[in-house]
Amino acid sequence: MSLIEKTATELIALQEAGRVSAVEIVEAFLAAIRQREPQLRSFTLIDEDGARRQAEAVDAKRAVGRPVGKLAGVPVAVKDVLCTKGSRTTCSSRMLADFVPPYDAHVVEQLRAADSVVIGKTNMDEFAMGSSTENSAFQTTRNPWDITRIPGGSSGGSAACVAGCQAPVSLGTDTGGSIRQPAALCGVVGMKPTYGRVSRYGLIAFASSLDQVGPFSHDLADCARLLEVIAGHDKRDSTSIDQPVPTYTATLNDRVPGLRIGVPQEFFGAGLDAEIEAAVQAALREYQKQGATLVDVSLPHTRYALAAYYIVAPAEASSNLARFDGMHYGHRTAQKTDLISTYAKSRGEGFGNEVKRRIMIGTYVLSSGYKDAYYVKALKVRRLVKQDFDLAFATCDVVIGPTTPTAAFAVGEKADDPLAMYLSDVYTVSCNLAGIPGLSIPCGFTRTGLPIGLQLLAPPFEEEKMLRVARMYESTTDWHTRRPRI
Ligand code: GLN
């Protein structure tokens, strides 16, 4: 197995054994990026010089016997919605094409403090709105398992660069599925932590009550390690929770005795592709073989979750994106006249179609006369979705189902049909509405060789148990060891 196909945990072990240096690792990944980027287009920015300097610093620390961090010498790619001090952060939008943040996001500070090597920024749907990465203003990222297909979204670049071995791990964000859905479609592990588990400081907001940062990796050991690094209290995000961060890596291999898995019938209805369903059912049987009990649970408000999400998320987006007016923030039109038309022209030029659509929907559902009928009602549905989970978790440890209704679709297939695109989030949005943690892990391939994801959902702040349950499956299967031929 070549260096670029290894996990972060393996790369750390190799360095500790003195078999490879951080500089050799970063050079291997930079070479893979150069070689594969013309096809995959995962990155909006590749920081070759910065990455080399960070790797040299890690090797220098090791050479003099100074202690190194939990991710020492591990290249990490960061979704371009997270601020990186001194390097461009675009949200894959013309609006922020020239934005260079004067500070690092909290999670980026944590990555640096752990001695990882921030190698570049990854492509995404503009302002994280989308499910295919086709809404990027710059480029469409391709699925490493089949480059005629999309990698999912909105964190498509972060998923594709790990699946395509351009980086061993990466960070993404998940507002309605943007980590779990691309992880499923690219055959990697992706986690959305509990709302409040990870600080949002320096994350450019889409829908603040739903947004959460999380890791992508090949396997659960790396996922646990990354979560340990990025989780924790940060007083600059008032919604981040002041609760100790468990050592997820230490307990990962502990089985969950008497495991009860909730299977929601609402996740197995019309629209679910037969091959996906078969793979998920096979995974559930594997759990039964390991002694788990399957319990039927009901999440009756799931059928309204997508509609509620597509009201709440645009409402918050319309408010958050008001700051990009060409005056305070963002692209300013060259055709400056009076104030109002300068705002309008700047926003008209700076935002793409999906972002404009969300701003219009969000403004509409918040407008006087319609607010009670749409926004307030959606908030009530949101509470019912949360209540469904509270009731379900009274009878089970985790809920398991498919991450997505279909495998990766073709580039262009849904690009002109927003509703079809929104439907690919049907199993992922409830988790964000309820604020609970969710995880997607590889559980097979379709006949045509496309990855399939298994979704696990757990009660708030039970990431530790969720990871252990996932590991029970991973430890008896080899999906996570497969790499695409590129
Ligand atoms: N696909 C969903 C949307 O377009 C989710 C996006 C996300 O999680 N950032 O809103």
PDB file of all heavy atoms in Angstrom, residues 123-158:
ATOM      1  N   ASN A 123     -13.110  22.425  -2.461  1.00  0.00           N
ATOM      2  CA  ASN A 123     -14.251  22.953  -3.213  1.00  0.00           C
ATOM      3  C   ASN A 123     -15.571  22.513  -2.584  1.00  0.00           C
ATOM      4  O   ASN A 123     -15.655  21.477  -1.913  1.00  0.00           O
ATOM      5  CB  ASN A 123     -14.172  22.428  -4.651  1.00  0.00           C
ATOM      6  CG  ASN A 123     -15.131  23.135  -5.580  1.00  0.00           C
ATOM      7  OD1 ASN A 123     -15.344  24.334  -5.463  1.00  0.00           O
ATOM      8  ND2 ASN A 123     -15.727  22.395  -6.507  1.00  0.00           N
ATOM      9  N   MET A 124     -16.610  23.298  -2.813  1.00  0.00           N
ATOM     10  CA  MET A 124     -17.904  23.066  -2.146  1.00  0.00           C
ATOM     11  C   MET A 124     -19.002  23.704  -2.981  1.00  0.00           C
ATOM     12  O   MET A 124     -18.737  24.493  -3.882  1.00  0.00           O
ATOM     13  CB  MET A 124     -17.873  23.712  -0.756  1.00  0.00           C
ATOM     14  CG  MET A 124     -17.478  25.195  -0.791  1.00  0.00           C
ATOM     15  SD  MET A 124     -17.251  25.923   0.848  1.00  0.00           S
ATOM     16  CE  MET A 124     -18.948  26.302   1.257  1.00  0.00           C
ATOM     17  N   ASP A 125     -20.245  23.365  -2.661  1.00  0.00           N
ATOM     18  CA  ASP A 125     -21.341  24.123  -3.216  1.00  0.00           C
ATOM     19  C   ASP A 125     -21.279  25.530  -2.617  1.00  0.00           C
ATOM     20  O   ASP A 125     -20.972  25.701  -1.426  1.00  0.00           O
ATOM     21  CB  ASP A 125     -22.683  23.479  -2.850  1.00  0.00           C
ATOM     22  CG  ASP A 125     -22.965  22.238  -3.671  1.00  0.00           C
ATOM     23  OD1 ASP A 125     -23.037  22.356  -4.914  1.00  0.00           O
ATOM     24  OD2 ASP A 125     -23.098  21.154  -3.076  1.00  0.00           O
ATOM     25  N   GLU A 126     -21.577  26.528  -3.429  1.00  0.00           N
ATOM     26  CA  GLU A 126     -21.483  27.919  -2.981  1.00  0.00           C
ATOM     27  C   GLU A 126     -22.210  28.124  -1.649  1.00  0.00           C
ATOM     28  O   GLU A 126     -23.392  27.767  -1.528  1.00  0.00           O
ATOM     29  CB  GLU A 126     -22.079  28.835  -4.061  1.00  0.00           C
ATOM     30  CG  GLU A 126     -21.936  30.307  -3.714  1.00  0.00           C
ATOM     31  CD  GLU A 126     -22.445  31.225  -4.815  1.00  0.00           C
ATOM     32  OE1 GLU A 126     -23.089  30.760  -5.778  1.00  0.00           O
ATOM     33  OE2 GLU A 126     -22.206  32.453  -4.682  1.00  0.00           O
ATOM     34  N   PHE A 127     -21.495  28.668  -0.678  1.00  0.00           N
ATOM     35  CA  PHE A 127     -22.030  28.907   0.667  1.00  0.00           C
ATOM     36  C   PHE A 127     -22.665  27.651   1.288  1.00  0.00           C
ATOM     37  O   PHE A 127     -23.578  27.736   2.103  1.00  0.00           O
ATOM     38  CB  PHE A 127     -23.013  30.091   0.693  1.00  0.00           C
ATOM     39  CG  PHE A 127     -22.318  31.423   0.648  1.00  0.00           C
ATOM     40  CD1 PHE A 127     -22.238  32.140  -0.539  1.00  0.00           C
ATOM     41  CD2 PHE A 127     -21.702  31.945   1.778  1.00  0.00           C
ATOM     42  CE1 PHE A 127     -21.557  33.355  -0.602  1.00  0.00           C
ATOM     43  CE2 PHE A 127     -21.016  33.158   1.732  1.00  0.00           C
ATOM     44  CZ  PHE A 127     -20.958  33.871   0.540  1.00  0.00           C
ATOM     45  N   ALA A 128     -22.191  26.485   0.849  1.00  0.00           N
ATOM     46  CA  ALA A 128     -22.631  25.187   1.394  1.00  0.00           C
ATOM     47  C   ALA A 128     -24.068  24.839   1.031  1.00  0.00           C
ATOM     48  O   ALA A 128     -24.712  24.032   1.697  1.00  0.00           O
ATOM     49  CB  ALA A 128     -22.425  25.108   2.919  1.00  0.00           C
ATOM     50  N   MET A 129     -24.582  25.458  -0.038  1.00  0.00           N
ATOM     51  CA  MET A 129     -25.962  25.198  -0.451  1.00  0.00           C
ATOM     52  C   MET A 129     -25.970  24.283  -1.667  1.00  0.00           C
ATOM     53  O   MET A 129     -25.724  24.730  -2.789  1.00  0.00           O
ATOM     54  CB  MET A 129     -26.662  26.517  -0.773  1.00  0.00           C
ATOM     55  CG  MET A 129     -26.761  27.416   0.436  1.00  0.00           C
ATOM     56  SD  MET A 129     -27.341  29.041  -0.016  1.00  0.00           S
ATOM     57  CE  MET A 129     -27.048  29.910   1.526  1.00  0.00           C
ATOM     58  N   GLY A 130     -26.244  23.009  -1.413  1.00  0.00           N
ATOM     59  CA  GLY A 130     -26.313  22.067  -2.513  1.00  0.00           C
ATOM     60  C   GLY A 130     -25.931  20.679  -2.057  1.00  0.00           C
ATOM     61  O   GLY A 130     -25.531  20.470  -0.909  1.00  0.00           O
ATOM     62  N   SER A 131     -26.076  19.711  -2.962  1.00  0.00           N
ATOM     63  CA  SER A 131     -25.830  18.311  -2.630  1.00  0.00           C
ATOM     64  C   SER A 131     -24.964  17.630  -3.682  1.00  0.00           C
ATOM     65  O   SER A 131     -24.938  16.403  -3.762  1.00  0.00           O
ATOM     66  CB  SER A 131     -27.169  17.570  -2.527  1.00  0.00           C
ATOM     67  OG  SER A 131     -28.072  18.305  -1.723  1.00  0.00           O
ATOM     68  N   SER A 132     -24.268  18.413  -4.500  1.00  0.00           N
ATOM     69  CA  SER A 132     -23.505  17.797  -5.597  1.00  0.00           C
ATOM     70  C   SER A 132     -22.176  18.498  -5.881  1.00  0.00           C
ATOM     71  O   SER A 132     -21.389  18.011  -6.684  1.00  0.00           O
ATOM     72  CB  SER A 132     -24.343  17.826  -6.876  1.00  0.00           C
ATOM     73  OG  SER A 132     -24.496  19.171  -7.313  1.00  0.00           O
ATOM     74  N   THR A 133     -21.938  19.651  -5.271  1.00  0.00           N
ATOM     75  CA  THR A 133     -20.759  20.492  -5.522  1.00  0.00           C
ATOM     76  C   THR A 133     -20.793  21.134  -6.912  1.00  0.00           C
ATOM     77  O   THR A 133     -19.853  21.805  -7.313  1.00  0.00           O
ATOM     78  CB  THR A 133     -19.434  19.726  -5.258  1.00  0.00           C
ATOM     79  OG1 THR A 133     -19.581  18.986  -4.030  1.00  0.00           O
ATOM     80  CG2 THR A 133     -18.247  20.633  -5.041  1.00  0.00           C
ATOM     81  N   GLU A 134     -21.927  20.954  -7.612  1.00  0.00           N
ATOM     82  CA  GLU A 134     -22.062  21.636  -8.907  1.00  0.00           C
ATOM     83  C   GLU A 134     -22.374  23.123  -8.734  1.00  0.00           C
ATOM     84  O   GLU A 134     -22.283  23.890  -9.696  1.00  0.00           O
ATOM     85  CB  GLU A 134     -23.172  20.973  -9.735  1.00  0.00           C
ATOM     86  CG  GLU A 134     -22.806  19.587 -10.204  1.00  0.00           C
ATOM     87  CD  GLU A 134     -24.024  18.823 -10.709  1.00  0.00           C
ATOM     88  OE1 GLU A 134     -24.943  18.553  -9.900  1.00  0.00           O
ATOM     89  OE2 GLU A 134     -24.068  18.498 -11.895  1.00  0.00           O
ATOM     90  N   ASN A 135     -22.775  23.532  -7.522  1.00  0.00           N
ATOM     91  CA  ASN A 135     -23.070  24.953  -7.303  1.00  0.00           C
ATOM     92  C   ASN A 135     -21.837  25.787  -6.984  1.00  0.00           C
ATOM     93  O   ASN A 135     -21.964  26.957  -6.655  1.00  0.00           O
ATOM     94  CB  ASN A 135     -24.093  25.126  -6.165  1.00  0.00           C
ATOM     95  CG  ASN A 135     -25.452  24.555  -6.520  1.00  0.00           C
ATOM     96  OD1 ASN A 135     -25.791  24.436  -7.690  1.00  0.00           O
ATOM     97  ND2 ASN A 135     -26.223  24.187  -5.511  1.00  0.00           N
ATOM     98  N   SER A 136     -20.655  25.191  -7.046  1.00  0.00           N
ATOM     99  CA  SER A 136     -19.432  25.983  -6.884  1.00  0.00           C
ATOM    100  C   SER A 136     -19.333  26.984  -8.030  1.00  0.00           C
ATOM    101  O   SER A 136     -19.636  26.642  -9.181  1.00  0.00           O
ATOM    102  CB  SER A 136     -18.210  25.064  -6.914  1.00  0.00           C
ATOM    103  OG  SER A 136     -17.027  25.820  -7.082  1.00  0.00           O
ATOM    104  N   ALA A 137     -18.898  28.212  -7.716  1.00  0.00           N
ATOM    105  CA  ALA A 137     -18.721  29.199  -8.785  1.00  0.00           C
ATOM    106  C   ALA A 137     -17.484  28.895  -9.622  1.00  0.00           C
ATOM    107  O   ALA A 137     -17.303  29.481 -10.688  1.00  0.00           O
ATOM    108  CB  ALA A 137     -18.603  30.594  -8.182  1.00  0.00           C
ATOM    109  N   PHE A 138     -16.626  27.978  -9.147  1.00  0.00           N
ATOM    110  CA  PHE A 138     -15.328  27.799  -9.800  1.00  0.00           C
ATOM    111  C   PHE A 138     -15.185  26.511 -10.607  1.00  0.00           C
ATOM    112  O   PHE A 138     -14.576  26.500 -11.663  1.00  0.00           O
ATOM    113  CB  PHE A 138     -14.206  27.854  -8.753  1.00  0.00           C
ATOM    114  CG  PHE A 138     -14.270  29.078  -7.884  1.00  0.00           C
ATOM    115  CD1 PHE A 138     -14.198  28.977  -6.508  1.00  0.00           C
ATOM    116  CD2 PHE A 138     -14.432  30.344  -8.449  1.00  0.00           C
ATOM    117  CE1 PHE A 138     -14.254  30.110  -5.696  1.00  0.00           C
ATOM    118  CE2 PHE A 138     -14.503  31.484  -7.653  1.00  0.00           C
ATOM    119  CZ  PHE A 138     -14.415  31.368  -6.264  1.00  0.00           C
ATOM    120  N   GLN A 139     -15.687  25.392 -10.081  1.00  0.00           N
ATOM    121  CA  GLN A 139     -15.412  24.100 -10.723  1.00  0.00           C
ATOM    122  C   GLN A 139     -16.346  23.046 -10.133  1.00  0.00           C
ATOM    123  O   GLN A 139     -16.853  23.221  -9.030  1.00  0.00           O
ATOM    124  CB  GLN A 139     -13.959  23.663 -10.456  1.00  0.00           C
ATOM    125  CG  GLN A 139     -13.705  23.295  -9.001  1.00  0.00           C
ATOM    126  CD  GLN A 139     -12.325  23.688  -8.489  1.00  0.00           C
ATOM    127  OE1 GLN A 139     -11.767  24.701  -8.892  1.00  0.00           O
ATOM    128  NE2 GLN A 139     -11.785  22.891  -7.591  1.00  0.00           N
ATOM    129  N   THR A 140     -16.544  21.960 -10.870  1.00  0.00           N
ATOM    130  CA  THR A 140     -17.311  20.833 -10.343  1.00  0.00           C
ATOM    131  C   THR A 140     -16.338  19.738  -9.954  1.00  0.00           C
ATOM    132  O   THR A 140     -15.557  19.272 -10.779  1.00  0.00           O
ATOM    133  CB  THR A 140     -18.306  20.307 -11.391  1.00  0.00           C
ATOM    134  OG1 THR A 140     -19.241  21.342 -11.671  1.00  0.00           O
ATOM    135  CG2 THR A 140     -19.070  19.097 -10.877  1.00  0.00           C
ATOM    136  N   THR A 141     -16.391  19.329  -8.682  1.00  0.00           N
ATOM    137  CA  THR A 141     -15.561  18.223  -8.217  1.00  0.00           C
ATOM    138  C   THR A 141     -16.163  16.916  -8.719  1.00  0.00           C
ATOM    139  O   THR A 141     -17.384  16.804  -8.846  1.00  0.00           O
ATOM    140  CB  THR A 141     -15.493  18.247  -6.683  1.00  0.00           C
ATOM    141  OG1 THR A 141     -14.929  19.496  -6.282  1.00  0.00           O
ATOM    142  CG2 THR A 141     -14.643  17.117  -6.133  1.00  0.00           C
ATOM    143  N   ARG A 142     -15.298  15.925  -9.003  1.00  0.00           N
ATOM    144  CA  ARG A 142     -15.769  14.635  -9.517  1.00  0.00           C
ATOM    145  C   ARG A 142     -15.618  13.536  -8.477  1.00  0.00           C
ATOM    146  O   ARG A 142     -14.745  13.615  -7.628  1.00  0.00           O
ATOM    147  CB  ARG A 142     -14.973  14.258 -10.776  1.00  0.00           C
ATOM    148  CG  ARG A 142     -15.058  15.292 -11.895  1.00  0.00           C
ATOM    149  CD  ARG A 142     -16.485  15.453 -12.365  1.00  0.00           C
ATOM    150  NE  ARG A 142     -16.614  16.495 -13.376  1.00  0.00           N
ATOM    151  CZ  ARG A 142     -17.087  16.262 -14.605  1.00  0.00           C
ATOM    152  NH1 ARG A 142     -17.470  15.058 -14.965  1.00  0.00           N
ATOM    153  NH2 ARG A 142     -17.206  17.256 -15.454  1.00  0.00           N
ATOM    154  N   ASN A 143     -16.449  12.527  -8.607  1.00  0.00           N
ATOM    155  CA  ASN A 143     -16.395  11.394  -7.690  1.00  0.00           C
ATOM    156  C   ASN A 143     -15.219  10.476  -8.063  1.00  0.00           C
ATOM    157  O   ASN A 143     -15.157   9.994  -9.193  1.00  0.00           O
ATOM    158  CB  ASN A 143     -17.715  10.613  -7.757  1.00  0.00           C
ATOM    159  CG  ASN A 143     -17.833   9.592  -6.648  1.00  0.00           C
ATOM    160  OD1 ASN A 143     -16.917   8.814  -6.392  1.00  0.00           O
ATOM    161  ND2 ASN A 143     -18.960   9.609  -5.965  1.00  0.00           N
ATOM    162  N   PRO A 144     -14.295  10.226  -7.139  1.00  0.00           N
ATOM    163  CA  PRO A 144     -13.111   9.415  -7.465  1.00  0.00           C
ATOM    164  C   PRO A 144     -13.443   7.984  -7.913  1.00  0.00           C
ATOM    165  O   PRO A 144     -12.625   7.343  -8.571  1.00  0.00           O
ATOM    166  CB  PRO A 144     -12.315   9.378  -6.155  1.00  0.00           C
ATOM    167  CG  PRO A 144     -12.782  10.571  -5.395  1.00  0.00           C
ATOM    168  CD  PRO A 144     -14.227  10.757  -5.774  1.00  0.00           C
ATOM    169  N   TRP A 145     -14.638   7.484  -7.576  1.00  0.00           N
ATOM    170  CA  TRP A 145     -15.019   6.127  -7.979  1.00  0.00           C
ATOM    171  C   TRP A 145     -15.555   6.096  -9.395  1.00  0.00           C
ATOM    172  O   TRP A 145     -15.650   5.030 -10.008  1.00  0.00           O
ATOM    173  CB  TRP A 145     -16.055   5.548  -7.013  1.00  0.00           C
ATOM    174  CG  TRP A 145     -15.470   5.316  -5.662  1.00  0.00           C
ATOM    175  CD1 TRP A 145     -15.491   6.185  -4.611  1.00  0.00           C
ATOM    176  CD2 TRP A 145     -14.741   4.175  -5.218  1.00  0.00           C
ATOM    177  NE1 TRP A 145     -14.821   5.647  -3.548  1.00  0.00           N
ATOM    178  CE2 TRP A 145     -14.352   4.405  -3.884  1.00  0.00           C
ATOM    179  CE3 TRP A 145     -14.380   2.956  -5.818  1.00  0.00           C
ATOM    180  CZ2 TRP A 145     -13.625   3.474  -3.138  1.00  0.00           C
ATOM    181  CZ3 TRP A 145     -13.656   2.039  -5.079  1.00  0.00           C
ATOM    182  CH2 TRP A 145     -13.286   2.304  -3.754  1.00  0.00           C
ATOM    183  N   ASP A 146     -15.952   7.247  -9.917  1.00  0.00           N
ATOM    184  CA  ASP A 146     -16.468   7.339 -11.288  1.00  0.00           C
ATOM    185  C   ASP A 146     -16.526   8.822 -11.623  1.00  0.00           C
ATOM    186  O   ASP A 146     -17.426   9.533 -11.162  1.00  0.00           O
ATOM    187  CB  ASP A 146     -17.871   6.713 -11.371  1.00  0.00           C
ATOM    188  CG  ASP A 146     -18.480   6.876 -12.754  1.00  0.00           C
ATOM    189  OD1 ASP A 146     -17.920   7.614 -13.594  1.00  0.00           O
ATOM    190  OD2 ASP A 146     -19.553   6.267 -12.993  1.00  0.00           O
ATOM    191  N   ILE A 147     -15.563   9.284 -12.421  1.00  0.00           N
ATOM    192  CA  ILE A 147     -15.446  10.730 -12.597  1.00  0.00           C
ATOM    193  C   ILE A 147     -16.535  11.338 -13.482  1.00  0.00           C
ATOM    194  O   ILE A 147     -16.565  12.543 -13.689  1.00  0.00           O
ATOM    195  CB  ILE A 147     -14.047  11.162 -13.079  1.00  0.00           C
ATOM    196  CG1 ILE A 147     -13.702  10.507 -14.402  1.00  0.00           C
ATOM    197  CG2 ILE A 147     -12.979  10.869 -12.024  1.00  0.00           C
ATOM    198  CD1 ILE A 147     -12.518  11.190 -15.072  1.00  0.00           C
ATOM    199  N   THR A 148     -17.476  10.505 -13.959  1.00  0.00           N
ATOM    200  CA  THR A 148     -18.625  11.094 -14.645  1.00  0.00           C
ATOM    201  C   THR A 148     -19.715  11.457 -13.634  1.00  0.00           C
ATOM    202  O   THR A 148     -20.752  12.005 -13.991  1.00  0.00           O
ATOM    203  CB  THR A 148     -19.237  10.135 -15.686  1.00  0.00           C
ATOM    204  OG1 THR A 148     -19.840   9.021 -14.990  1.00  0.00           O
ATOM    205  CG2 THR A 148     -18.179   9.621 -16.651  1.00  0.00           C
ATOM    206  N   ARG A 149     -19.475  11.134 -12.360  1.00  0.00           N
ATOM    207  CA  ARG A 149     -20.499  11.342 -11.326  1.00  0.00           C
ATOM    208  C   ARG A 149     -20.068  12.403 -10.314  1.00  0.00           C
ATOM    209  O   ARG A 149     -18.887  12.681 -10.151  1.00  0.00           O
ATOM    210  CB  ARG A 149     -20.812  10.032 -10.618  1.00  0.00           C
ATOM    211  CG  ARG A 149     -21.462   9.070 -11.578  1.00  0.00           C
ATOM    212  CD  ARG A 149     -21.814   7.756 -11.006  1.00  0.00           C
ATOM    213  NE  ARG A 149     -22.363   6.955 -12.079  1.00  0.00           N
ATOM    214  CZ  ARG A 149     -23.673   6.822 -12.341  1.00  0.00           C
ATOM    215  NH1 ARG A 149     -24.558   7.398 -11.571  1.00  0.00           N
ATOM    216  NH2 ARG A 149     -24.074   6.106 -13.366  1.00  0.00           N
ATOM    217  N   ILE A 150     -21.086  12.928  -9.613  1.00  0.00           N
ATOM    218  CA  ILE A 150     -20.824  13.947  -8.606  1.00  0.00           C
ATOM    219  C   ILE A 150     -20.323  13.275  -7.318  1.00  0.00           C
ATOM    220  O   ILE A 150     -20.610  12.096  -7.079  1.00  0.00           O
ATOM    221  CB  ILE A 150     -22.079  14.808  -8.321  1.00  0.00           C
ATOM    222  CG1 ILE A 150     -23.275  13.929  -7.934  1.00  0.00           C
ATOM    223  CG2 ILE A 150     -22.457  15.648  -9.533  1.00  0.00           C
ATOM    224  CD1 ILE A 150     -23.469  13.641  -6.522  1.00  0.00           C
ATOM    225  N   PRO A 151     -19.593  14.032  -6.485  1.00  0.00           N
ATOM    226  CA  PRO A 151     -19.109  13.462  -5.225  1.00  0.00           C
ATOM    227  C   PRO A 151     -20.094  13.667  -4.080  1.00  0.00           C
ATOM    228  O   PRO A 151     -19.815  13.273  -2.955  1.00  0.00           O
ATOM    229  CB  PRO A 151     -17.846  14.291  -4.964  1.00  0.00           C
ATOM    230  CG  PRO A 151     -18.178  15.640  -5.532  1.00  0.00           C
ATOM    231  CD  PRO A 151     -19.077  15.389  -6.730  1.00  0.00           C
ATOM    232  N   GLY A 152     -21.234  14.294  -4.362  1.00  0.00           N
ATOM    233  CA  GLY A 152     -22.118  14.728  -3.283  1.00  0.00           C
ATOM    234  C   GLY A 152     -21.757  16.140  -2.869  1.00  0.00           C
ATOM    235  O   GLY A 152     -20.814  16.746  -3.410  1.00  0.00           O
ATOM    236  N   GLY A 153     -22.502  16.671  -1.916  1.00  0.00           N
ATOM    237  CA  GLY A 153     -22.222  18.029  -1.474  1.00  0.00           C
ATOM    238  C   GLY A 153     -22.917  18.324  -0.172  1.00  0.00           C
ATOM    239  O   GLY A 153     -23.629  17.482   0.353  1.00  0.00           O
ATOM    240  N   SER A 154     -22.694  19.456   0.415  1.00  0.00           N
ATOM    241  CA  SER A 154     -21.887  20.507  -0.169  1.00  0.00           C
ATOM    242  C   SER A 154     -20.386  20.335   0.032  1.00  0.00           C
ATOM    243  O   SER A 154     -19.604  20.981  -0.659  1.00  0.00           O
ATOM    244  CB  SER A 154     -22.311  21.863   0.398  1.00  0.00           C
ATOM    245  OG  SER A 154     -22.017  21.929   1.783  1.00  0.00           O
ATOM    246  N   SER A 155     -19.970  19.432   0.948  1.00  0.00           N
ATOM    247  CA  SER A 155     -18.524  19.273   1.189  1.00  0.00           C
ATOM    248  C   SER A 155     -17.916  18.293   0.192  1.00  0.00           C
ATOM    249  O   SER A 155     -17.122  17.416   0.578  1.00  0.00           O
ATOM    250  CB  SER A 155     -18.283  18.772   2.623  1.00  0.00           C
ATOM    251  OG  SER A 155     -19.031  19.488   3.568  1.00  0.00           O
ATOM    252  N   GLY A 156     -18.242  18.422  -1.091  1.00  0.00           N
ATOM    253  CA  GLY A 156     -17.800  17.456  -2.090  1.00  0.00           C
ATOM    254  C   GLY A 156     -16.289  17.373  -2.219  1.00  0.00           C
ATOM    255  O   GLY A 156     -15.721  16.290  -2.376  1.00  0.00           O
ATOM    256  N   GLY A 157     -15.611  18.525  -2.158  1.00  0.00           N
ATOM    257  CA  GLY A 157     -14.149  18.525  -2.278  1.00  0.00           C
ATOM    258  C   GLY A 157     -13.494  17.787  -1.116  1.00  0.00           C
ATOM    259  O   GLY A 157     -12.533  17.041  -1.302  1.00  0.00           O
ATOM    260  N   SER A 158     -14.041  17.993   0.098  1.00  0.00           N
ATOM    261  CA  SER A 158     -13.463  17.347   1.279  1.00  0.00           C
ATOM    262  C   SER A 158     -13.643  15.831   1.226  1.00  0.00           C
ATOM    263  O   SER A 158     -12.777  15.086   1.686  1.00  0.00           O
ATOM    264  CB  SER A 158     -14.111  17.894   2.562  1.00  0.00           C
ATOM    265  OG  SER A 158     -13.723  19.226   2.775  1.00  0.00           O
TER     266      SER A 158
END
